[in-house]
Amino acid sequence: MHGARAHGPGTYGTGARGPGDTDNSPGPGDADGTQGAGAPETAPWRRHHYPLRTRLALATSAAVALVAVGVCAAAFVIISYQMSRQLELNLAQTATQKIHETRDWGPTVSDASCRYQAVPCFQIVPADPAKDPRGGYHVLPVSDATRQVATGRHAPYYRDLTVDGQPVRMYTAPRPGGHEALQVALRSDTVERGVRHAAWALSAVGGAGILLAAALGYAVSRAGLAPVARLTATAERIAATRDPRHRIALPAGPTAQDELTRLAATFNTMLAALEQSVTAQRRLVADASHELRTPLTALRTNAELLARADRLTDAQRDRASAALNRQLREVTTLVNDLIELARDEEPQPLVEQVRPAALLEHAVATARGHWPETAFTLRITPEAAPVTTPGVPSRLTRLLSNLLDNAAKFSPPGGPVEAELDCAAGELNLTVRDHGPGIAPEDLPHVFDRFYRAHAARALPGSGLGLAMARQIAHAHAADLTAERAPGGGALFRLRMPVPSP
């Protein structure tokens, strides 16, 4: 059955470190948790003295409080302006009324009635001071601006003053038909008292708004960071138990597409990938331990047997020594295969432009030497012969050798193995077909699994790493390797490799 390990001339990894091998020893800065040379760069994390929930609550509260204070300040300005404006409108209306009532009056001195609330006082001032009433003006003051209003050279104006210890606001306007001005005054302390009351009321409202903003900010931060808290709890639980099977419960409904829900979903996806990786790692360790147990036991047995070489015949010593060497090669090959499978990508310094057609010809020639009883046939189309693609030659040779050796292993004696390479639609297509028993439907999904060996292949040599390694090499070269049942019997492996544009 397919899945057995194959050997080829392109195999490398004899224990020496290559240019692309990674080094797990701690580098500079690794001991204290900082990044060493070659480590991936990460964005700097800004340290804060307060938790995120506290910072979010403070920010929300400050924003709401700022809005509340701004609204209260704007309301105070508007109220103060409107009350002052209303007092001025009352003065203007009173002046208009007095102009009509005193149409036939001459210069008049005001009394002190404006010291009472809602009671206006007024006086008529001529433009010529010689026409002033006898005794002069004692309640409302007369200035040069008043005389100019009477002559029409100054616009009407408002003025604040005090009458008998009471604040009043005076309005001076010209009288029509003559050189006289009318002065009207009303008490303004009601406006000032109303403005003070409004200021106290708005201050109380603003303070209550700030307290409410603090409470709402804490509630908003607590509700908004609930998914983050669940995510943190899950991460801490995984760190404590080292069990990546935990997941974050995702909400359903309209909120299922918000940012925090997507973050939780991404975290669940990461946990699933981590769980899969941990499971694969544990399975690899378990399978490797199982595969190494038998050859190591045989090695120990042969080593103990050779330790009593004086009791063995020459033929027995030769057989034990040959078995020991063969088992050492198998263990070395198995360990090297495991090291290569543990590498996720190809070493970049070894990548060069290679011609797959030449590699395939070399691999087929080598396979003919390893399997003299198998008839290998090779067909390369003229379009595929000159094509080059970036890759690691030794690794691609290993891929081709594994496919050819695997096909030869399951071919009947004298049976053919057909290899064909063509180029179409911007990609190279390689097919390797044998005429053996083929792949059982239940085994087809597991052909490329590590250490997987079907019942028909367990009696054959190998560890089940050859095809797994072939697929890994294909993926590292952006190629796709698949297996299928060939028409008419046998197995067919198909490799599709993209050809870079000129």
Side-chain angles (χ1 to χ4, degrees):
M1 179 57 214
H2 299 77
R5 204 203 64 76
H7 304 279
T11 304
Y12 70 94
T14 57
R17 296 180 57 82
D21 292 334
T22 56
D23 187 1
N24 294 329
S25 59
D30 292 340
D32 57 354
T34 58
Q35 291 183 344
E41 295 184 359
T42 56
W45 185 262
R46 185 177 179 182
R47 296 180 178 270
H48 295 276
H49 298 290
Y50 301 101
L52 176 61
R53 178 178 298 176
T54 302
R55 298 199 306 271
L56 182 59
L58 290 176
T60 306
S61 302
V64 177
L66 184 62
V67 172
V69 171
V71 170
C72 291
F76 173 77
V77 172
I78 292 174
I79 291 174
S80 176
Y81 172 79
Q82 290 295 335
M83 295 185 71
S84 299
R85 180 62 178 168
Q86 185 63 40
L87 178 61
E88 293 175 352
L89 290 176
N90 290 339
L91 285 172
Q93 291 176 357
T94 302
T96 302
Q97 180 182 359
K98 294 300 181 182
I99 288 175
H100 289 290
E101 292 177 355
T102 61
R103 186 170 44 249
D104 299 329
W105 290 24
T108 305
V109 178
S110 173
D111 57 11
S113 59
C114 54
R115 63 185 175 183
Y116 303 105
Q117 291 186 2
V119 178
C121 58
F122 71 96
Q123 66 184 12
I124 301 174
V125 180
D128 186 2
K131 298 180 180 181
D132 287 344
R134 185 177 299 177
Y137 302 99
H138 303 287
V139 178
L140 301 179
V142 176
S143 63
D144 292 339
T146 306
R147 306 288 184 181
Q148 293 179 4
V149 170
T151 60
R153 289 179 296 175
H154 195 288
Y157 67 91
Y158 295 92
R159 179 182 175 185
D160 292 322
L161 51 98
T162 302
V163 175
D164 291 343
Q166 300 296 332
V168 298
R169 189 164 181 81
M170 182 182 68
Y171 176 61
T172 302
R175 295 185 67 197
H179 298 283
E180 294 175 338
L182 177 67
Q183 291 180 314
V184 181
L186 279 171
R187 281 184 57 173
S188 60
D189 56 341
T190 55
V191 174
E192 296 176 357
R193 187 164 49 252
V195 170
R196 286 196 302 269
H197 291 168
W200 283 109
L202 291 174
S203 298
V205 172
I210 293 175
L211 295 178
L212 180 61
L216 292 177
Y218 177 78
V220 167
S221 65
R222 185 179 182 86
L225 293 179
V228 178
R230 292 195 298 268
L231 189 148
T232 303
T234 302
E236 292 175 348
R237 191 181 308 115
I238 293 173
T241 61
R242 297 183 179 274
D243 184 3
R245 291 177 297 177
H246 299 283
R247 296 292 184 273
I248 301 175
L250 299 179
T255 61
Q257 298 299 325
D258 61 10
E259 290 78 3
L260 291 178
T261 303
R262 292 202 301 269
L263 174 62
T266 304
F267 190 74
N268 283 345
T269 303
M270 182 188 68
L271 289 178
L274 177 62
E275 180 184 5
Q276 183 179 3
S277 176
V278 171
T279 302
Q281 182 182 17
R282 290 174 179 172
R283 185 170 61 248
L284 175 62
V285 172
D287 293 342
S289 301
H290 175 74
E291 293 293 334
L292 286 171
R293 185 180 295 114
T294 299
L296 288 177
T297 302
L299 281 174
R300 184 175 62 184
T301 301
N302 288 323
E304 292 175 352
L305 184 61
L306 289 176
R308 295 190 292 270
D310 53 343
R311 304 179 186 179
L312 302 177
T313 64
D314 293 340
Q316 290 174 335
R317 282 197 301 271
D318 292 341
R319 287 196 302 271
S321 178
L324 183 62
N325 291 332
R326 183 177 64 255
Q327 291 154 2
L328 282 174
R329 287 194 301 270
E330 291 180 358
V331 172
T332 302
T333 302
L334 178 60
V335 172
N336 289 335
D337 289 345
L338 289 173
I339 293 174
E340 292 181 8
L341 282 172
R343 184 184 290 118
D344 290 335
E345 57 185 12
E346 299 302 321
Q348 292 301 320
L350 301 181
V351 175
E352 59 184 81
Q353 289 294 326
V354 298
R355 194 159 61 93
L359 295 180
L360 180 59
E361 291 174 352
H362 175 72
V364 170
T366 304
R368 286 170 178 162
H370 288 171
W371 306 91
E373 297 181 357
T374 302
F376 289 91
T377 61
L378 174 61
R379 178 178 176 271
I380 300 176
T381 62
E383 296 80 10
V387 174
T388 61
T389 183
V392 182
S394 59
R395 297 285 283 170
L396 290 175
T397 302
R398 182 64 178 275
L399 185 156
L400 300 174
S401 299
N402 284 4
L403 293 180
L404 294 172
D405 290 350
N406 189 79
K409 186 181 300 182
F410 293 97
S411 293
V417 171
E418 303 166 3
E420 181 177 349
L421 179 66
D422 64 355
C423 182
E427 66 178 7
L428 285 171
N429 295 285
L430 168 68
T431 57
V432 177
R433 176 183 176 175
D434 62 59
H435 292 266
I439 307 174
E442 63 272 13
D443 296 328
L444 192 59
H446 308 286
V447 167
F448 297 101
D449 291 350
R450 298 168 181 173
F451 298 106
Y452 181 79
R453 305 186 68 188
H455 295 285
R458 293 180 181 177
L460 298 175
S463 60
L465 294 178
L467 293 180
M469 186 180 303
R471 169 167 278 191
Q472 177 172 299
I473 297 173
H475 285 175
H477 288 80
D480 184 28
L481 178 61
T482 59
E484 58 189 81
R485 295 172 60 88
L492 176 64
F493 289 86
R494 192 183 305 274
L495 176 67
R496 296 182 179 88
M497 180 178 295
V499 176
S501 57

